[in-house]
Amino acid sequence: MVIIVGSGASCAYGLPSMGALAEHLNIAVPERISEDDVSALREWERIATSLAAGEGLESALGEQPLPESLADVLTMAITDQVRHSEGAAIAEILQADQVSAFGRLFEHILRSATHADVITTNYDRLIEVHAARAGVRVDSMYYGHTIGRMDAALSREELYEARAAPAGRGARSVTVRPRPHIRLAKPHGSLDWFAHDGQYYRSDLAIPGSRQIIAPGGNKYRLGYEVPFDQQRNRANLAIDGAASLLTVGYGFNDSHLQTHLRSRFAQLPAVVVSRSLTSNALSYLSSNSSALGIEATEDGAGCRVLQGGDDLELDLPLWDLEHLVKEVLSI
């Protein structure tokens, strides 16, 4: 199974939605642009006008590359907003009486598999925290602890264990196999990734270097083909290509880095799409696969609407919430 996690899943823990992020940027970005940076000021004025007219953040930022100085300001402002909310979300996961729905789902999958592929387009570290709370290992392509260095091979090798096994006639052989783990792909980067002096690191410390996240906007597609995002994108696409089934949680199906592979594979696979509200893109994907299930909230959020092959069924259970879904459907 491949699990794709979008911003809707993080919003459930109080992290900002795209709308809330747009409101923050409207305040924070103008304060950070230099008065002498005419091109950035002009471009931001265009974006702010579009936001004021009701356009979504992605649409307002447009498809054309932004001035580099404005892209840097956006990255810093987004980082500040997500980090501000992330601490409370992490505390909620760690202090809960039981392992979260994501953690229990990971445990459930790994009872019968050596790994589960998880792709998230979010910058936050909530997937990593869900896994840690459940005692599930994570391969993120970074090797090390206080400061981890990007090294896909060492990150993978760290998860292998050697076991002695009888080999006959008194001899013993050693077999090497992977410990159960999450194989994580973050094609848009992460708040704890940095580039410094030509190297790429992961750390929660305030280390020198530029933070490695891809902000929304026209620069997004190009940056996805640069280090370190290219390896993460390739991992995500390989996971989609090899998937036996798909589960998406809070994902809007509007990411250019995944859509080429996802569009063709989605129509062929058993799939479940879970979100508080299914986007028009999500509905388009669901229409391409008559066996796929779409689950979204009813207007009051107390129940859910289940869509499959043109049929529409309302249930009194809020199965759009992953917590209820894994409890009621998987009994975990």
Side-chain angles (χ1 to χ4, degrees):
M1 172 183 284
V2 172
I3 304 171
I4 302 178
V5 182
S7 60
S10 292
C11 290
Y13 285 88
L15 267 71
S17 64
M18 290 297 276
L21 187 57
E23 292 178 9
H24 169 73
L25 295 180
N26 255 328
I27 298 171
V29 170
E31 296 175 349
R32 298 179 183 227
I33 301 176
S34 168
E35 294 179 0
D36 300 328
D37 194 342
V38 177
S39 61
L41 287 169
R42 185 183 299 118
E43 186 65 11
W44 179 251
E45 183 178 352
R46 179 195 66 77
I47 294 167
T49 300
S50 297
L51 290 173
E55 285 192 37
L57 180 57
E58 289 267 13
S59 176
L61 290 171
E63 298 181 358
Q64 298 302 313
L66 301 174
E68 187 173 342
S69 58
L70 178 57
D72 290 343
V73 166
L74 282 168
T75 297
M76 289 188 291
I78 290 170
T79 297
D80 289 345
Q81 179 70 352
V82 175
R83 286 182 64 193
H84 176 74
S85 305
E86 188 189 49
I90 290 172
E92 180 183 345
I93 296 167
L94 295 179
Q95 295 170 4
D97 293 336
Q98 68 171 344
V99 172
S100 69
F102 272 113
R104 302 199 309 278
L105 179 60
F106 297 159
E107 291 177 310
H108 179 76
I109 295 171
L110 294 175
R111 289 192 186 107
S112 57
T114 57
H115 72 270
D117 282 295
V118 179
I119 304 165
T120 179
T121 55
N122 302 335
Y123 314 125
D124 60 65
R125 279 75 61 92
L126 299 194
I127 291 296
E128 294 92 321
V129 176
H130 286 302
R133 176 72 168 81
V136 171
R137 295 174 175 85
V138 176
D139 171 14
S140 64
M141 291 193 183
Y142 285 80
Y143 173 79
H145 300 282
T146 304
I147 296 179
R149 184 171 175 173
M150 190 176 74
D151 191 316
L154 288 177
S155 177
R156 182 174 59 252
E157 289 172 12
E158 190 177 33
L159 295 163
Y160 280 81
E161 63 177 342
R163 288 192 175 187
R169 295 186 179 181
R172 296 178 71 82
S173 65
V174 175
T175 60
V176 178
R177 66 179 186 180
R179 296 181 173 94
H181 63 279
I182 294 299
R183 193 160 59 182
L184 181 63
K186 302 182 81 169
H188 293 172
S190 184
L191 291 186
D192 53 356
W193 294 0
F194 296 87
H196 178 64
D197 197 23
Q199 300 294 329
Y200 297 89
Y201 300 97
R202 183 204 65 223
S203 181
D204 291 323
L205 302 176
I207 65 175
S210 59
R211 202 175 297 274
Q212 297 296 287
I213 69 171
I214 298 179
N219 302 55
K220 181 169 151 180
Y221 188 80
R222 174 182 60 80
L223 288 172
Y225 288 86
E226 297 181 1
V227 179
F229 312 110
D230 56 348
Q231 292 187 40
Q232 299 286 327
R233 175 182 51 79
N234 286 340
R235 169 176 278 193
N237 287 333
L238 285 171
I240 291 169
D241 289 344
S245 59
L246 287 169
L247 169 65
T248 76
V249 184
Y251 178 63
F253 290 85
N254 58 6
D255 183 77
S256 57
H257 292 137
L258 301 180
Q259 301 312 87
T260 301
H261 291 249
L262 187 57
R263 170 60 78 174
S264 59
R265 290 295 289 154
F266 187 92
Q268 304 167 8
L269 297 173
V272 177
V273 178
V274 182
S275 183
R276 184 177 186 97
S277 179
L278 295 172
T279 65
S280 58
N281 281 349
L283 293 172
S284 174
Y285 271 74
L286 287 167
S287 69
S288 73
N289 185 340
S290 61
S291 66
L293 283 175
I295 306 174
E296 68 176 350
T298 51
E299 188 172 347
D300 61 3
C304 71
R305 192 165 70 104
V306 181
L307 295 83
Q308 183 182 36
D311 294 327
D312 186 329
L313 173 68
E314 283 199 9
L315 301 175
D316 292 333
L317 295 169
L319 299 182
W320 57 270
D321 183 335
L322 189 65
E323 181 66 43
H324 290 274
L325 184 68
V326 300
K327 180 180 178 181
E328 299 293 340
V329 177
L330 299 178
S331 299
I332 58 174

